[in-house]
Amino acid sequence: DGEVVESGGGSVQPGGSLRLSCITPRFTFGIFAMGWFRQSPGKEREGVAAINWKGDMTYYADSVKGRFTVSRDNAKDILYLQLDNLETEDTATYYCAKRRAAHIRGSWTDQRQYDYWGRGTQVTVSS
């Protein structure tokens, strides 16, 4: 509990923007890859984006490419997910997750490779 903590969710209109943040108070943040997932009511949790330990390799779901940007500041121990041009279909609870390793090998969406998860932050997009 408290190993991974998200913040920054909210309600916006279509076309709006939000920035989500994630911290890992109980881990050495800079040595692990990280991921963002989301889940809408009635749907399975899906991968949104991931980033390796260094921040020079990023991965995105096709549905968010060009609209969302994952980044990290290892000096501040913070992970970000910038959400731009939001659509109603982006409405979901967004989860931050710590990957088991520094590098992302295999599928970045494989949830078994993430060992600690936050409680989620709600993003609602509606007019």
Side-chain angles (χ1 to χ4, degrees):
D1 196 19
E3 290 92 354
V4 179
V5 182
E6 309 95 338
S7 62
S11 296
V12 297
Q13 293 185 337
S17 297
L18 285 172
R19 187 174 77 164
L20 307 184
S21 299
C22 173
I23 60 173
T24 59
R26 301 188 182 183
F27 297 105
T28 303
F29 176 80
I31 63 173
F32 294 102
M34 299 291 295
W36 286 100
F37 293 77
R38 68 184 181 186
Q39 187 170 24
S40 305
K43 294 186 178 181
E44 292 187 354
R45 188 164 59 187
E46 62 176 359
V48 176
I51 188 168
N52 70 341
W53 70 278
K54 196 174 180 181
D56 59 351
M57 295 292 291
T58 57
Y59 308 82
Y60 295 96
D62 288 344
S63 59
V64 306
K65 277 181 184 175
R67 300 188 300 118
F68 291 8
T69 304
V70 60
S71 63
R72 64 191 299 160
D73 185 337
N74 285 351
K76 296 182 178 179
D77 293 347
I78 302 178
L79 175 73
Y80 298 105
L81 184 66
Q82 178 68 38
L83 290 66
D84 294 319
N85 194 19
L86 281 159
E87 303 171 353
T88 55
E89 292 78 13
D90 296 318
T91 295
T93 300
Y94 284 71
Y95 298 92
C96 174
K98 170 192 158 298
R99 194 149 172 119
R100 297 179 187 275
H103 299 281
I104 296 177
R105 296 188 175 91
S107 172
W108 68 270
T109 61
D110 184 354
Q111 297 184 34
R112 298 169 299 176
Q113 297 304 319
Y114 296 85
D115 52 359
Y116 287 91
W117 296 74
R119 293 186 175 183
T121 186
Q122 179 67 36
V123 171
T124 302
V125 186
S126 69
S127 54

